[in-house]
């Protein structure tokens, strides 16, 4: 996954370098074209959304007003029926019985005629039930179907309003009523006080005409706004008096400035209002003569969703026009850029032809960051000059090395013959120790020169280290001992020549000789491990600090003082191993002052070629 992301980032970087426009022109394009166009497009979009929101909310208000008109018509129809009933001679004759001692037969006759009248009124599809509340002295007051006692409603919350209306009609909100002939039903009622024709100062009864709340809900359900909108009826105090959900009846829905706005206008649309836990539009229209309001609250998000749906076609057309304008402007701008770049390229080529690349820095750079080509060519020139300097230094180092090789070149046969002659002279004079030293030295040179080959067997490299240490034991008797342990079969493997000798030399000079004359031990161990060749050189001498260990491998030989180690140096040995085997191979040094030093050489295990 990481590799895929890395490749993707590199691809984007290459595309950016390949197709990137000059920053000054791009900034000009953004400031003069993109920013103004974006502001214009945003303003147009906002204006369009505002207009469409007004249209959508306006159409919703019209639907609400239509429903309000329908509901008002139904309520006015009920009021007309109430007025007709009030002027009925049968009702007036019945009211005359209130407070009088009337024969039962006469009451029964009047009640019979009144029942017929009430049944004819209840035949209207808008009427659910007609109820008449009269004095308990009347025989029919205990019927509890159409006739009830006046005392049974004196505790109702709307009773005082009915009395104060003095014969005027008062509408109740939706409430639940019990009937003896059917299950409990939600209704709303048109109520008015009745006076006796003979005693006008007394309340003779209360006429109540009931409408089923389902009729109101059916009217409201025909209003199709959104799934999350609410449609309900409120009184002048903002209390819900009719709602599809009966549990909402009696709760305070509207208050404050919104309620004042609704009281001041017959219908309208409020601004975005925080209502029911979110921003909503509130639409309202007046119904009946009670000052009630039919209210619809719709979430702003629902309006926006409808507006977005309506705005899609016009938005696509607008986007295409703006996009076409951007393309035209971009093509014109690109034409100017290409023309300018072509002219600058010609200037660069002309400058190179006339004065050469060394004088390219004299080119006019008055155009700032746009001069990508000039900067690129300038960087290229600097890199070429750097490479030329490195090449020159490398050639100088190579010539110096060749000169040193020529100066140090010795004819091996002449050297061996000379050492052999000295050896016989020493034996002839009885100097056996001198003869042994000369023999060891001759063997050392024979192994180190190796007929000019750079790759030797592991056995020869270990033998060279052994010869070197034997010579040093004669030089420093009783100062140190050494051990060499080799895994069987290592003679079949090869390694770079003179890899161990500098390490062993450092162990002797820095470890053994730096141990204040104490007897020391140098150990060399060679083995194979997981396809690698491991050679460990350790001593129990003076040791060194961690900073000194780091300097041995990180600093080239010429930065360190001469005469304190092998002329090859551990740095050179480490670099030779990496060149020979790879970056994962090399030398690892572990040392502490007073605890000795361990140098681990890790090489690729390579067998001899047959």
């Amino acid at each position: 996954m990481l590799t895929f992301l890395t490749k993707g980032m590199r691809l984007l970087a290459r595309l950016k370098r390949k197709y990137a426009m000059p920053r000054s022109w791009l900034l000009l394009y953004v400031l003069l074209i993109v920013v103004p166009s974006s502001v214009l497009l945003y303003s147009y979009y906002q204006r369009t959304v505002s207009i469409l929101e007004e249209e959508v909310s306006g159409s919703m208000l019209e639907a609400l007003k239509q429903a309000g008109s329908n509901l008002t018509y139904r309520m006015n129809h009920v009021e007309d029926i109430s007025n007709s009933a009030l002027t009925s001679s049968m009702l007036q004759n019945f009211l005359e019985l209130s407070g009088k001692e009337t024969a039962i037969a006469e009451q029964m006759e009047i009640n019979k005629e009144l029942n017929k009248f009430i049944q004819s009124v209840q035949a209207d599809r808008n009427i659910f039930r007609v109820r008449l509340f009269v004095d308990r002295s009347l025989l029919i007051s205990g019927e509890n179907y159409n006739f009830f006692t006046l005392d049974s409603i004196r505790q109702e919350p709307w009773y005082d309003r009915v009395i104060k209306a003095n014969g005027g009609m008062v509408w109740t909100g939706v409430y639940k009523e019990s009937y003896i002939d059917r299950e409990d039903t939600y209704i709303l009622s048109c109520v008015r006080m009745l006076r006796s024709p003979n005693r006008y100062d007394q309340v003779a009864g209360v006429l109540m005409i009931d409408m089923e709340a389902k009729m109101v809900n059916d009217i409201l359900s025909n209003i199709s706004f959104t799934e999350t909108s609410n449609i309900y009826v409120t009184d002048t105090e903002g209390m819900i008096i009719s709602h599809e959900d009966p549990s909402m009846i009696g709760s305070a829905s509207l208050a404050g400035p919104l309620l004042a706005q609704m009281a001041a206008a017959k219908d309208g649309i409020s601004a975005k209002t925080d209502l029911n836990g979110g921003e909503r539009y509130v639409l309202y229209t007046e119904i009946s003569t009670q000052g009630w309001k039919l209210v619809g609250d719709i979430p702003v998000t629902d309006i926006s969703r409808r507006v977005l749906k309506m705005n899609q076609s016009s938005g696509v057309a607008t986007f295409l026009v703006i996009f076409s304008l951007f393309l035209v402007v971009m093509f014109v701008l690109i034409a100017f850029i290409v023309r300018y770049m072509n002219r600058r390229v010609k200037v660069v080529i002309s400058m190179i032809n006339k004065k050469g690349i060394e004088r390219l820095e004299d080119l006019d750079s008055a155009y700032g960051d746009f001069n990508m080509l000039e900067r690129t060519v300038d960087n290229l020139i600097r890199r070429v000059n750097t490479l030329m300097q490195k090449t020159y230094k490398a050639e100088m180092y190579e010539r110096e090395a060749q000169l040193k090789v020529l100066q140090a070149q010795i004819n091996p046969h002449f050297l061996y013959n000379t050492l052999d002659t000295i050896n016989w002279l020493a034996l002839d004079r009885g100097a056996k120790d001198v003869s042994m030293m000369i023999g060891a030295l001759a063997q050392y040179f024979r192994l180190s020169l190796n007929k000019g080959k750079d790759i030797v067997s592991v056995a020869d490299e270990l033998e060279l280290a052994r010869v070197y240490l034997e010579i040093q034991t004669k030089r420093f008797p009783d100062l140190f001992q050494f051990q060499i342990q080799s895994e069987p079969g290592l003679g079949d493997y090869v390694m770079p020549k003179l890899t161990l000798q500098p390490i062993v030399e450092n162990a002797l000079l820095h470890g053994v000789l730096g141990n204040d004359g104490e007897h020391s031990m140098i150990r060399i161990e060679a083995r194979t491990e997981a396809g690698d060749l491991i050679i460990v050189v350790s001593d129990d001498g003076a040791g060194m600090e961690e900073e000194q260990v780091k300097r041995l491998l990180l600093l080239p030989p010429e930065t360190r003082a001469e005469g304190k180690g092998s002329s090859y140096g551990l740095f050179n040995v480490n670099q030779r191993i990496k060149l020979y085997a790879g970056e994962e191979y090399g030398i690892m040094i572990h040392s502490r002052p007073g605890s000795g030093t361990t140098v681990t050489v890790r090489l690729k295990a390579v067998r001899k070629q047959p």
Side-chain angles (χ1 to χ4, degrees):
M1 184 64 180
L2 183 60
T3 304
F4 176 77
L5 291 176
T6 303
K7 291 182 178 179
M9 295 299 293
R10 290 177 180 173
L11 178 60
L12 290 176
R14 286 198 297 269
L15 292 176
K16 181 179 178 181
R17 289 194 299 268
K18 186 175 182 180
Y19 298 107
M21 295 175 62
R23 281 180 293 177
S24 57
W25 287 90
L26 181 60
L27 180 61
L28 185 65
Y29 177 77
V30 170
L31 291 178
L32 298 184
I33 304 298
V34 176
V35 172
S37 300
S38 300
V39 172
L40 180 63
L41 184 61
Y42 179 76
S43 301
Y44 170 79
Y45 174 77
Q46 290 295 105
R47 179 58 181 165
T48 303
V49 168
S50 177
I51 293 174
L52 289 176
E53 283 184 352
E54 292 178 1
E55 292 182 358
V56 170
S57 56
S59 65
M60 290 181 174
L61 179 60
E62 291 300 321
L64 193 70
K65 290 168 66 176
Q66 182 64 36
S69 298
N70 192 358
L71 187 57
T72 299
Y73 169 78
R74 299 290 182 91
M75 296 177 71
N76 288 339
H77 180 67
V78 172
E79 290 180 354
D80 292 341
I81 291 176
S82 178
N83 288 330
S84 298
L86 182 64
T87 58
S88 169
S89 59
M90 286 176 289
L91 180 62
Q92 294 297 321
N93 292 336
F94 177 78
L95 293 177
E96 287 181 355
L97 299 177
S98 178
K100 294 173 56 178
E101 292 184 2
T102 309
I104 295 177
E106 184 181 356
Q107 288 191 39
M108 293 294 293
E109 185 65 24
I110 295 175
N111 292 343
K112 182 179 179 180
E113 295 298 323
L114 184 59
N115 265 320
K116 291 180 180 179
F117 173 75
I118 290 176
Q119 294 302 321
S120 66
V121 172
Q122 288 184 164
D124 190 291
R125 66 186 183 90
N126 294 302
I127 306 301
F128 182 73
R129 182 67 57 88
V130 176
R131 291 184 287 171
L132 192 60
F133 297 84
V134 295
D135 189 86
R136 68 173 52 250
S137 63
L138 297 177
L139 182 63
I140 203 172
S141 63
E143 182 227 15
N144 291 333
Y145 185 85
N146 291 111
F147 297 93
F148 303 85
T149 63
L150 187 61
D151 294 336
S152 64
I153 61 170
R154 294 185 187 278
Q155 302 301 322
E156 295 294 339
W158 40 262
Y159 182 78
D160 290 339
R161 287 193 293 122
V162 172
I163 299 302
K164 289 180 182 179
N166 196 25
M169 283 175 283
V170 174
W171 282 91
T172 68
V174 174
Y175 64 98
K176 192 175 184 180
E177 185 59 272
S178 299
Y179 298 93
I180 62 174
D181 60 330
R182 61 181 62 196
E183 61 185 12
D184 295 350
T185 307
Y186 284 96
I187 61 171
L188 72 159
S189 305
C190 177
V191 189
R192 70 188 314 165
M193 179 186 70
L194 302 175
R195 294 186 182 275
S196 173
N198 299 326
R199 298 180 180 180
Y200 197 75
D201 59 332
Q202 294 182 359
V203 177
V206 171
L207 174 64
M208 180 176 288
I209 301 178
D210 300 334
M211 287 179 62
E212 192 174 7
K214 182 177 181 300
M215 181 181 296
V216 178
N217 292 334
D218 289 343
I219 295 174
L220 301 185
S221 65
N222 291 328
I223 306 175
S224 178
F225 288 163
T226 64
E227 294 182 357
T228 56
S229 60
N230 295 313
I231 310 296
Y232 48 88
V233 179
T234 65
D235 61 11
T236 56
E237 301 299 325
M239 301 291 291
I240 295 178
I241 58 176
S242 178
H243 197 286
E244 184 179 10
D245 182 5
S247 64
M248 296 296 296
I249 297 174
S251 61
S253 174
L254 308 172
L258 180 58
L259 188 61
Q261 177 186 345
M262 293 173 59
K266 184 176 181 180
D267 51 57
I269 305 172
S270 75
K272 297 177 182 179
T273 305
D274 189 6
L275 190 67
N276 297 329
E279 279 196 334
R280 307 174 82 92
Y281 284 105
V282 178
L283 290 66
Y284 57 91
T285 186
E286 191 172 273
I287 59 174
S288 80
T289 59
Q290 304 290 314
W292 291 358
K293 298 291 183 181
L294 178 58
V295 180
D297 65 74
I298 303 104
V300 173
T301 54
D302 290 356
I303 298 286
S304 302
R305 197 176 295 116
R306 282 199 176 187
V307 168
L308 181 62
K309 189 174 181 179
M310 296 172 62
N311 198 29
Q312 282 180 349
S313 57
S314 60
V316 170
T318 304
F319 174 77
L320 290 177
V321 171
I322 298 297
F323 183 71
S324 301
L325 176 62
F326 280 2
L327 287 180
V328 171
V329 174
M330 185 175 66
F331 286 144
V332 172
L333 185 61
I334 289 176
F336 278 105
I337 292 174
V338 170
R339 182 179 178 185
Y340 175 78
M341 291 183 66
N342 186 40
R343 183 169 61 86
R344 295 296 294 178
V345 168
K346 290 180 179 179
V347 171
V348 172
I349 295 175
S350 176
M351 178 67 74
I352 293 175
N353 291 335
K354 289 181 180 180
K355 298 183 179 181
I357 61 175
E358 293 83 0
R359 300 295 302 278
L360 191 62
E361 293 181 356
D362 298 337
L363 188 66
D364 179 26
S365 297
Y367 292 92
D369 291 340
F370 184 79
N371 298 301
M372 184 183 300
L373 178 61
E374 289 93 324
R375 293 198 308 273
T376 303
V377 174
D378 181 63
N379 291 333
L380 178 61
I381 293 170
R382 295 178 185 275
R383 291 182 62 186
V384 169
N385 289 335
T386 302
L387 291 174
M388 291 175 62
Q389 292 177 3
K390 289 183 178 180
T391 303
Y392 175 75
K393 290 182 178 180
E395 290 179 351
M396 293 296 295
Y397 291 152
E398 184 179 359
R399 291 180 181 178
E400 183 178 353
Q402 290 176 351
L403 179 61
K404 289 182 178 180
V405 169
L406 290 175
Q407 291 175 347
Q409 191 173 29
I410 301 175
N411 189 316
H413 294 289
F414 173 75
L415 179 61
Y416 299 154
N417 293 334
T418 303
L419 290 175
D420 188 58
T421 301
I422 297 174
N423 183 32
W424 282 109
L425 290 174
L427 288 174
D428 185 55
R429 298 182 181 182
K432 293 182 179 181
D433 52 348
V434 176
S435 173
M436 186 180 299
M437 285 286 291
I438 293 173
L441 182 61
Q443 186 178 4
Y444 175 82
F445 280 121
R446 186 177 294 106
L447 291 171
S448 61
L449 293 175
N450 193 34
K451 300 179 181 180
K453 297 179 181 179
D454 292 327
I455 303 298
V456 299
S457 68
V458 176
D460 286 344
E461 187 71 7
L462 292 175
E463 179 64 18
L464 179 62
R466 186 191 64 77
V467 172
Y468 173 78
L469 290 174
E470 283 188 350
I471 294 175
Q472 295 300 333
T473 55
K474 298 299 188 292
R475 181 182 176 189
F476 304 106
D478 301 326
L479 187 60
F480 74 97
Q481 292 178 329
F482 67 90
Q483 292 179 357
I484 299 178
Q485 296 178 352
S486 176
E487 183 181 289
L490 288 185
D492 295 334
Y493 293 91
V494 294
M495 62 184 295
K497 182 176 65 175
L498 294 179
T499 297
L500 291 182
Q501 195 276 337
I503 300 173
V504 173
E505 183 178 350
N506 277 345
L508 176 63
L509 297 181
H510 296 286
V512 174
L513 298 183
N515 201 20
D516 297 331
E518 294 185 9
H519 189 80
S520 301
M521 173 66 73
I522 297 177
R523 292 181 175 86
I524 302 175
E525 179 187 357
R527 67 180 185 275
T528 56
E529 183 180 293
D532 292 340
L533 175 63
I534 307 297
I535 301 177
V536 180
V537 179
S538 61
D539 67 78
D540 54 1
M544 65 187 83
E545 298 287 348
E546 184 177 354
E547 291 298 324
Q548 187 176 357
V549 172
K550 292 181 180 179
R551 287 198 301 269
L552 288 175
L553 294 181
L554 297 180
L555 298 178
E558 56 267 20
T559 63
R560 301 193 299 270
E562 295 294 336
K564 294 185 178 181
S566 171
S567 60
Y568 288 94
L570 296 184
F571 175 83
N572 285 345
V573 172
N574 192 44
Q575 295 301 313
R576 287 176 60 209
I577 292 174
K578 291 182 180 298
L579 290 174
Y580 170 74
E583 287 295 325
E584 65 270 26
Y585 297 96
I587 292 176
M588 182 175 65
I589 303 176
H590 177 73
S591 181
R592 285 193 306 171
S595 298
T597 303
T598 299
V599 179
T600 303
V601 179
R602 181 178 292 273
L603 287 159
K604 186 185 298 183
V606 179
R607 292 181 178 273
K608 291 180 181 179
Q609 295 294 331

PDB file of all heavy atoms in Angstrom, residues 501-502 505-506 509-510 552 560-570:
ATOM      1  N   GLN A 501      44.475  -7.807   7.671  1.00  0.00           N
ATOM      2  CA  GLN A 501      45.760  -7.276   8.163  1.00  0.00           C
ATOM      3  C   GLN A 501      45.609  -5.915   8.830  1.00  0.00           C
ATOM      4  O   GLN A 501      46.142  -5.709   9.930  1.00  0.00           O
ATOM      5  CB  GLN A 501      46.766  -7.245   7.009  1.00  0.00           C
ATOM      6  CG  GLN A 501      48.222  -7.069   7.446  1.00  0.00           C
ATOM      7  CD  GLN A 501      48.583  -5.596   7.666  1.00  0.00           C
ATOM      8  OE1 GLN A 501      47.928  -4.728   7.121  1.00  0.00           O
ATOM      9  NE2 GLN A 501      49.613  -5.352   8.483  1.00  0.00           N
ATOM     10  N   PRO A 502      44.867  -4.928   8.238  1.00  0.00           N
ATOM     11  CA  PRO A 502      44.708  -3.641   8.939  1.00  0.00           C
ATOM     12  C   PRO A 502      43.955  -3.785  10.262  1.00  0.00           C
ATOM     13  O   PRO A 502      44.252  -3.073  11.229  1.00  0.00           O
ATOM     14  CB  PRO A 502      43.907  -2.798   7.938  1.00  0.00           C
ATOM     15  CG  PRO A 502      44.141  -3.437   6.612  1.00  0.00           C
ATOM     16  CD  PRO A 502      44.268  -4.901   6.884  1.00  0.00           C
ATOM     17  N   GLU A 505      46.369  -5.297  12.737  1.00  0.00           N
ATOM     18  CA  GLU A 505      47.372  -4.276  13.077  1.00  0.00           C
ATOM     19  C   GLU A 505      46.802  -3.289  14.089  1.00  0.00           C
ATOM     20  O   GLU A 505      47.479  -2.907  15.063  1.00  0.00           O
ATOM     21  CB  GLU A 505      47.807  -3.552  11.810  1.00  0.00           C
ATOM     22  CG  GLU A 505      48.909  -2.521  12.053  1.00  0.00           C
ATOM     23  CD  GLU A 505      49.357  -1.863  10.764  1.00  0.00           C
ATOM     24  OE1 GLU A 505      48.966  -2.329   9.666  1.00  0.00           O
ATOM     25  OE2 GLU A 505      50.099  -0.868  10.854  1.00  0.00           O
ATOM     26  N   ASN A 506      45.548  -2.852  13.905  1.00  0.00           N
ATOM     27  CA  ASN A 506      44.926  -1.937  14.862  1.00  0.00           C
ATOM     28  C   ASN A 506      44.743  -2.599  16.230  1.00  0.00           C
ATOM     29  O   ASN A 506      44.896  -1.966  17.280  1.00  0.00           O
ATOM     30  CB  ASN A 506      43.556  -1.482  14.341  1.00  0.00           C
ATOM     31  CG  ASN A 506      43.694  -0.323  13.371  1.00  0.00           C
ATOM     32  OD1 ASN A 506      44.740   0.310  13.287  1.00  0.00           O
ATOM     33  ND2 ASN A 506      42.640  -0.062  12.613  1.00  0.00           N
ATOM     34  N   LEU A 509      48.320  -2.445  17.776  1.00  0.00           N
ATOM     35  CA  LEU A 509      48.841  -1.117  18.110  1.00  0.00           C
ATOM     36  C   LEU A 509      47.970  -0.402  19.133  1.00  0.00           C
ATOM     37  O   LEU A 509      48.484   0.240  20.058  1.00  0.00           O
ATOM     38  CB  LEU A 509      48.958  -0.277  16.841  1.00  0.00           C
ATOM     39  CG  LEU A 509      49.946  -0.794  15.775  1.00  0.00           C
ATOM     40  CD1 LEU A 509      49.987   0.138  14.586  1.00  0.00           C
ATOM     41  CD2 LEU A 509      51.340  -0.939  16.365  1.00  0.00           C
ATOM     42  N   HIS A 510      46.629  -0.487  18.967  1.00  0.00           N
ATOM     43  CA  HIS A 510      45.746   0.283  19.846  1.00  0.00           C
ATOM     44  C   HIS A 510      45.260  -0.523  21.045  1.00  0.00           C
ATOM     45  O   HIS A 510      44.989   0.049  22.100  1.00  0.00           O
ATOM     46  CB  HIS A 510      44.517   0.786  19.061  1.00  0.00           C
ATOM     47  CG  HIS A 510      44.876   1.750  17.967  1.00  0.00           C
ATOM     48  ND1 HIS A 510      45.262   3.042  18.209  1.00  0.00           N
ATOM     49  CD2 HIS A 510      44.913   1.578  16.620  1.00  0.00           C
ATOM     50  CE1 HIS A 510      45.512   3.651  17.061  1.00  0.00           C
ATOM     51  NE2 HIS A 510      45.310   2.773  16.077  1.00  0.00           N
ATOM     52  N   LEU A 552      36.379   5.981  13.394  1.00  0.00           N
ATOM     53  CA  LEU A 552      37.151   4.996  12.627  1.00  0.00           C
ATOM     54  C   LEU A 552      36.437   4.603  11.333  1.00  0.00           C
ATOM     55  O   LEU A 552      37.093   4.339  10.320  1.00  0.00           O
ATOM     56  CB  LEU A 552      37.385   3.741  13.480  1.00  0.00           C
ATOM     57  CG  LEU A 552      38.375   3.880  14.632  1.00  0.00           C
ATOM     58  CD1 LEU A 552      38.414   2.604  15.450  1.00  0.00           C
ATOM     59  CD2 LEU A 552      39.773   4.211  14.115  1.00  0.00           C
ATOM     60  N   ARG A 560      42.546  11.633   9.672  1.00  0.00           N
ATOM     61  CA  ARG A 560      43.070  11.181  10.959  1.00  0.00           C
ATOM     62  C   ARG A 560      44.596  11.287  10.980  1.00  0.00           C
ATOM     63  O   ARG A 560      45.265  11.323   9.934  1.00  0.00           O
ATOM     64  CB  ARG A 560      42.660   9.723  11.226  1.00  0.00           C
ATOM     65  CG  ARG A 560      41.164   9.516  11.251  1.00  0.00           C
ATOM     66  CD  ARG A 560      40.833   8.160  11.836  1.00  0.00           C
ATOM     67  NE  ARG A 560      41.386   7.066  11.061  1.00  0.00           N
ATOM     68  CZ  ARG A 560      40.762   6.477  10.069  1.00  0.00           C
ATOM     69  NH1 ARG A 560      39.580   6.904   9.695  1.00  0.00           N
ATOM     70  NH2 ARG A 560      41.296   5.471   9.418  1.00  0.00           N
ATOM     71  N   ALA A 561      45.138  11.335  12.169  1.00  0.00           N
ATOM     72  CA  ALA A 561      46.590  11.453  12.308  1.00  0.00           C
ATOM     73  C   ALA A 561      47.284  10.215  11.757  1.00  0.00           C
ATOM     74  O   ALA A 561      46.804   9.109  11.918  1.00  0.00           O
ATOM     75  CB  ALA A 561      46.954  11.644  13.791  1.00  0.00           C
ATOM     76  N   GLU A 562      48.402  10.415  11.052  1.00  0.00           N
ATOM     77  CA  GLU A 562      49.155   9.295  10.487  1.00  0.00           C
ATOM     78  C   GLU A 562      49.967   8.603  11.578  1.00  0.00           C
ATOM     79  O   GLU A 562      50.264   9.173  12.629  1.00  0.00           O
ATOM     80  CB  GLU A 562      50.102   9.806   9.395  1.00  0.00           C
ATOM     81  CG  GLU A 562      49.365  10.374   8.191  1.00  0.00           C
ATOM     82  CD  GLU A 562      48.592   9.318   7.437  1.00  0.00           C
ATOM     83  OE1 GLU A 562      48.944   8.138   7.533  1.00  0.00           O
ATOM     84  OE2 GLU A 562      47.613   9.664   6.748  1.00  0.00           O
ATOM     85  N   GLY A 563      50.341   7.379  11.315  1.00  0.00           N
ATOM     86  CA  GLY A 563      51.245   6.645  12.215  1.00  0.00           C
ATOM     87  C   GLY A 563      50.560   5.979  13.363  1.00  0.00           C
ATOM     88  O   GLY A 563      51.204   5.470  14.248  1.00  0.00           O
ATOM     89  N   LYS A 564      49.202   5.966  13.367  1.00  0.00           N
ATOM     90  CA  LYS A 564      48.486   5.354  14.481  1.00  0.00           C
ATOM     91  C   LYS A 564      47.668   4.166  14.028  1.00  0.00           C
ATOM     92  O   LYS A 564      46.748   3.746  14.658  1.00  0.00           O
ATOM     93  CB  LYS A 564      47.581   6.368  15.166  1.00  0.00           C
ATOM     94  CG  LYS A 564      48.352   7.475  15.863  1.00  0.00           C
ATOM     95  CD  LYS A 564      47.443   8.378  16.619  1.00  0.00           C
ATOM     96  CE  LYS A 564      48.211   9.464  17.351  1.00  0.00           C
ATOM     97  NZ  LYS A 564      47.343  10.358  18.120  1.00  0.00           N
ATOM     98  N   GLY A 565      47.971   3.620  12.887  1.00  0.00           N
ATOM     99  CA  GLY A 565      47.223   2.466  12.418  1.00  0.00           C
ATOM    100  C   GLY A 565      47.678   2.083  11.047  1.00  0.00           C
ATOM    101  O   GLY A 565      48.640   2.606  10.503  1.00  0.00           O
ATOM    102  N   SER A 566      47.009   1.129  10.468  1.00  0.00           N
ATOM    103  CA  SER A 566      47.351   0.663   9.138  1.00  0.00           C
ATOM    104  C   SER A 566      47.202   1.779   8.147  1.00  0.00           C
ATOM    105  O   SER A 566      46.363   2.664   8.268  1.00  0.00           O
ATOM    106  CB  SER A 566      46.440  -0.507   8.753  1.00  0.00           C
ATOM    107  OG  SER A 566      46.616  -0.826   7.398  1.00  0.00           O
ATOM    108  N   SER A 567      48.056   1.695   7.119  1.00  0.00           N
ATOM    109  CA  SER A 567      47.963   2.707   6.074  1.00  0.00           C
ATOM    110  C   SER A 567      46.655   2.603   5.317  1.00  0.00           C
ATOM    111  O   SER A 567      46.193   3.563   4.716  1.00  0.00           O
ATOM    112  CB  SER A 567      49.151   2.566   5.114  1.00  0.00           C
ATOM    113  OG  SER A 567      49.143   1.276   4.512  1.00  0.00           O
ATOM    114  N   TYR A 568      46.087   1.405   5.300  1.00  0.00           N
ATOM    115  CA  TYR A 568      44.778   1.239   4.648  1.00  0.00           C
ATOM    116  C   TYR A 568      43.668   1.840   5.500  1.00  0.00           C
ATOM    117  O   TYR A 568      42.755   2.470   4.990  1.00  0.00           O
ATOM    118  CB  TYR A 568      44.494  -0.243   4.409  1.00  0.00           C
ATOM    119  CG  TYR A 568      45.350  -0.828   3.301  1.00  0.00           C
ATOM    120  CD1 TYR A 568      46.548  -1.460   3.582  1.00  0.00           C
ATOM    121  CD2 TYR A 568      44.929  -0.740   1.987  1.00  0.00           C
ATOM    122  CE1 TYR A 568      47.328  -1.997   2.585  1.00  0.00           C
ATOM    123  CE2 TYR A 568      45.706  -1.279   0.974  1.00  0.00           C
ATOM    124  CZ  TYR A 568      46.903  -1.921   1.269  1.00  0.00           C
ATOM    125  OH  TYR A 568      47.658  -2.445   0.276  1.00  0.00           O
ATOM    126  N   GLY A 569      43.752   1.612   6.805  1.00  0.00           N
ATOM    127  CA  GLY A 569      42.742   2.145   7.712  1.00  0.00           C
ATOM    128  C   GLY A 569      41.458   1.331   7.677  1.00  0.00           C
ATOM    129  O   GLY A 569      41.095   0.734   6.673  1.00  0.00           O
ATOM    130  N   LEU A 570      40.771   1.331   8.813  1.00  0.00           N
ATOM    131  CA  LEU A 570      39.497   0.615   8.876  1.00  0.00           C
ATOM    132  C   LEU A 570      38.454   1.235   7.951  1.00  0.00           C
ATOM    133  O   LEU A 570      37.572   0.543   7.444  1.00  0.00           O
ATOM    134  CB  LEU A 570      38.980   0.605  10.313  1.00  0.00           C
ATOM    135  CG  LEU A 570      39.841  -0.153  11.331  1.00  0.00           C
ATOM    136  CD1 LEU A 570      39.147  -0.156  12.686  1.00  0.00           C
ATOM    137  CD2 LEU A 570      40.109  -1.571  10.872  1.00  0.00           C
TER     138      LEU A 570
END
